[in-house]
Amino acid sequence: MMTDKKILVRPLKDADDATWIIDNLHDQMGSVASIIPSGFEAYARLYHPAWRMSRNNTRTTLMRWSEVAEASGRVAHRQMQWAGIAGNEKPLSGYICLGSDAIPIEPPDEGTLPLEIAEPLASLLARYTKTPEMCQFAVWDGFNCSGTSLEEAASIAVAALDRRWYLFRGPLSALEHSFCESFHQSANMVWPEDRAWCVATEIDLMMTYVGGKRGLIEAILAAPDLEADEAHLEDSVLYDSDTVNPVRRSRWP
């Protein structure tokens, strides 16, 4: 299902309902606890898919991180980082080539929840909240997007991330909503009014974190359309934190 242009989120006029986020984010920079609020029973780490590219430079098929790791001779594990499994010298910039056919792989989307996983994730989230029609969406103020009335929205400063977020309200189906017209940009944090769960997509990461009831996290881990691992608040999110697959240093200046 593509993003429905008719789905609109409206700006919040005050930030009172978002202060719990600030109160429950830790200032341990680089940890999961600084990305998503503490206090949930369990957490999941959803990997944004990579893309296998065609010879004419168009996306063809989704590629899981576990597939990339296998193709590059690295090890897939619950704290893997793209820089570790990509297996090339500059894994955070541009395409990588894997296998004897040297078909290029486009890295996962960074800082936005891909549409390909937003729909199956939303269907699971809906089962674990009593307020699916009343969710809040927080968007980083640095995207410089057009088409969204950012100046009309209340905002909060998130010291743990050194970010400021604009706040909106809408239905859970707006998880697929883009806050930019020229490119797809999801909200960076989403939660329902009953605070049953929270979804966090930090601007510098190629994965999304979800906190919620144990049943929700288990459902996410078991979902065939999602690639996810369980996450712990003390886990590192830094690109070079994969001790199983150390980042290969570039030989270039």
Side-chain angles (χ1 to χ4, degrees):
M1 182 172 66
M2 297 300 292
T3 301
D4 188 347
K5 296 294 185 181
K6 296 180 180 179
I7 292 178
L8 296 177
V9 292
R10 65 180 186 273
L12 283 177
K13 299 304 182 183
D14 64 71
D16 290 348
D17 291 340
T19 55
W20 75 279
I21 295 287
I22 299 174
D23 294 340
N24 289 281
L25 283 177
H26 293 196
D27 57 5
Q28 183 183 350
M29 290 295 291
S31 68
V32 173
S34 69
I35 301 296
I36 191 166
S38 60
F40 292 106
E41 286 184 1
Y43 295 84
R45 182 186 197 224
L46 279 75
Y47 303 101
H48 299 176
W51 285 91
R52 189 181 297 275
M53 306 297 288
S54 67
R55 295 295 184 184
N56 62 357
N57 207 33
T58 58
R59 290 177 169 183
T60 57
T61 55
L62 294 175
M63 195 168 188
R64 291 178 173 238
W65 287 40
S66 57
E67 295 176 291
V68 173
E70 182 178 5
S72 62
R74 316 298 320 248
V75 179
H77 63 104
R78 74 168 194 87
Q79 289 183 274
M80 61 183 164
Q81 296 288 342
W82 181 257
I85 66 167
N88 71 331
E89 293 176 340
K90 295 186 177 181
L92 297 180
S93 59
Y95 297 156
I96 62 172
C97 292
L98 300 174
S100 58
D101 55 2
I103 295 296
I105 306 300
E106 183 179 288
D109 291 337
E110 184 178 284
T112 186
L113 181 67
L115 290 171
E116 292 77 19
I117 64 176
E119 181 182 6
L121 176 60
S123 67
L124 295 177
L125 295 172
R127 304 174 194 172
Y128 289 88
T129 176
K130 296 179 180 178
T131 58
E133 297 304 313
M134 300 180 67
C135 295
Q136 295 191 21
F137 301 78
V139 186
W140 182 47
D141 69 349
F143 289 126
N144 297 318
C145 294
S146 60
T148 301
S149 301
L150 297 180
E151 67 277 3
E152 299 176 11
S155 65
I156 56 172
V158 186
L161 297 172
D162 192 23
R163 306 273 187 262
R164 178 168 290 277
W165 293 338
Y166 290 114
L167 302 171
F168 298 82
R169 185 186 299 276
L172 175 55
S173 53
L175 194 67
E176 299 177 70
H177 177 77
S178 177
F179 288 83
C180 292
E181 289 185 337
S182 57
F183 59 94
H184 178 72
Q185 180 56 58
S186 71
N188 298 111
M189 190 168 286
V190 182
W191 65 93
E193 188 175 74
D194 61 8
R195 303 179 188 175
W197 43 257
C198 185
V199 178
T201 307
E202 162 58 15
I203 65 171
D204 294 324
L205 299 184
M206 295 175 172
M207 69 282 292
T208 290
Y209 288 89
V210 181
K213 293 286 189 181
R214 172 64 63 179
L216 168 61
I217 302 308
E218 291 179 349
I220 289 173
L221 298 180
D225 295 331
L226 300 173
E227 183 183 24
D229 279 313
E230 186 167 4
H232 302 156
L233 289 176
E234 65 272 16
D235 290 345
S236 175
V237 299
L238 301 180
Y239 86 98
D240 58 353
S241 64
D242 187 345
T243 57
V244 177
N245 306 297
V247 176
R248 294 173 179 172
R249 301 300 178 184
S250 174
R251 293 172 298 179
W252 303 99

